[in-house]
Amino acid sequence: MSDGYELLKGKKGIIFGALDERSIAWRIALACKREGADFVLSNAPVALRLGALDALGEETGAPIIACDVTKDDEIEDLMNQTKEHLGGVDFILHAIGMSPNVRKKKEYTDLNYNWLQQTLDISAISLHRVLHHAEKMDVLNDGGSIVALSYIGAQRIFSKYSDMNDAKALLESIARNYGSRLAPRGIRVNTVSQAPTKTSAGTGIKGFDGMYTFADMIAPMGNPSADECADYCVTLFSDLTRKVTMQNLFHDGGFVNSGISEEMINDLAKFYGDKDDE
Ligand code: NAI
């Protein structure tokens, strides 16, 4: 890891969603620290009981605050504690996603609707709740930056991603809508659409390895790592991107604009016995 560029010197933030070393939020926390930021780390009480986050808290000097993002009172409590530790914040990372339907391998045409509500509440509506309470409780500084992590399932159908496709579409919509409301204060809201990444949430999806390899073969630059995603998020939290807002920004090695790779054409021709190739 480089020494950094002091891009976030003096900035303060809230980082949601670091579970273990592989978590994208964990890598983002390390990158933010490297760039000079101070922040609090937050995760659901059940995730904190695993205890892994303590190590990141020690390494980055960040207080850890429990908060289930589906509960208004817990978010209010988090905002109060954040104020005590940091005063206002300049950036918020939302790296939260969970679908009981995906976990329990429910097909899209046979969803459990209570679980669908939970998927949407945890993975998308939570961004709205967090921004609502942060604004109401005067925790957001003018000129700040909010980033939520998304996935291309919001635009294209990836069958194994089930109701998370819908959750990401809603998440991206909330980012745009809140972005328009916060723009007069110079606060930007964006989603970063990251390529498949080998984390706890990622590998919990049935067929993840196939989706990972598919994206890696099609993207001209290959799949970006969680650390590369972290570097990109640093730029969005920094003052170098002050007028970038209400966007869904693909961080995928070029996947979104690619059709097929040469390697795949050749492999598929061999596999399916393409006569033109002989
Ligand atoms: P992860 O499993 O490390 O992170 C997901 C986090 O959400 C965990 O820390 C979990 O405790 C937290 N969470 C779940 N329910 C919560 C609740 N009620 N309250 C507060 N926190 C809660 O996995 P990863 O991959 O780092 O996920 C972070 C974000 O990146 C998610 O939004 C995910 O959808 C997104 N993403 C992941 C990709 C991948 O392939 N891993 C690709 C594109 C986006």
Side-chain angles (χ1 to χ4, degrees):
M1 200 185 276
S2 79
D3 290 339
Y5 307 92
E6 300 195 336
L7 284 175
L8 304 182
K9 199 173 170 192
K11 294 206 183 290
K12 299 176 196 317
I14 305 174
I15 295 183
F16 289 98
L19 181 69
D20 59 31
E21 267 188 354
R22 294 184 305 170
S23 297
I24 304 172
W26 189 291
R27 314 316 304 175
I28 293 173
L30 290 177
C32 288
K33 191 70 206 168
R34 180 194 74 206
E35 298 298 332
D38 287 315
F39 45 82
V40 299
L41 296 165
S42 182
N43 211 325
V46 59
L48 294 187
R49 280 201 279 281
L50 299 176
L53 199 54
D54 295 342
L56 182 64
E58 270 167 41
E59 191 174 348
T60 59
I64 298 169
I65 304 171
C67 173
D68 177 337
V69 290
T70 63
K71 309 225 165 88
D72 290 300
D73 56 334
E74 294 193 22
I75 300 177
E76 277 174 2
D77 190 45
L78 163 83
M79 293 302 164
N80 275 327
Q81 290 195 52
T82 302
K83 263 190 187 174
E84 279 166 28
H85 286 291
L86 302 174
V89 299
D90 307 294
F91 67 92
I92 298 177
L93 173 75
H94 177 290
I96 300 164
M98 210 282 284
S99 160
N101 282 303
V102 169
R103 275 206 182 167
K104 292 171 190 165
K105 305 188 174 31
K106 279 291 216 179
E107 287 298 325
Y108 190 75
T109 48
D110 190 27
L111 291 180
N112 174 315
Y113 293 113
N114 288 330
W115 294 345
L116 172 61
Q117 296 288 350
Q118 285 179 40
T119 302
L120 299 177
D121 216 12
I122 295 170
S123 312
I125 297 167
S126 57
L127 176 64
H128 197 290
R129 278 188 209 282
V130 164
L131 293 178
H132 167 77
H133 290 293
E135 196 189 12
K136 205 174 79 180
M137 296 173 70
D138 206 17
V139 175
L140 276 177
N141 291 339
D142 287 354
S145 173
I146 320 296
V147 171
L149 296 183
S150 194
Y151 178 60
I152 195 173
Q155 289 79 30
R156 298 194 194 164
I157 313 308
F158 289 91
S159 57
K160 303 293 185 218
Y161 208 54
S162 190
D163 57 350
M164 278 300 286
N165 287 314
D166 295 332
K168 291 304 190 192
L170 178 58
L171 179 78
E172 292 176 12
S173 177
I174 290 172
R176 279 190 296 274
N177 278 281
Y178 240 115
S180 76
R181 268 69 170 193
L182 294 174
R185 295 181 53 203
I187 300 171
R188 53 227 199 263
V189 187
N190 294 290
T191 49
V192 167
S193 185
Q194 164 71 1
T197 313
K198 291 179 180 170
T199 63
S200 173
T203 53
I205 300 164
K206 192 178 166 205
F208 176 84
D209 287 347
M211 284 159 72
Y212 181 92
T213 305
F214 176 75
D216 198 39
M217 286 184 83
I218 288 189
M221 288 186 170
N223 289 339
S225 67
D227 283 319
E228 286 165 331
C229 183
D231 285 340
Y232 187 42
C233 291
V234 161
T235 66
L236 293 171
F237 292 146
S238 81
D239 288 339
L240 300 179
T241 51
R242 270 177 298 209
K243 290 276 164 75
V244 180
T245 194
M246 300 162 64
Q247 301 271 355
N248 179 48
L249 303 159
F250 287 98
H251 185 255
D252 65 359
F255 176 83
V256 66
N257 282 327
S258 299
I260 191 165
S261 66
E262 291 300 309
E263 193 186 358
M264 275 182 101
I265 290 174
N266 293 334
D267 286 354
L268 287 171
K270 268 186 230 142
F271 190 75
Y272 289 107
D274 189 335
K275 297 284 179 288
D276 293 346
D277 218 38
E278 286 165 5

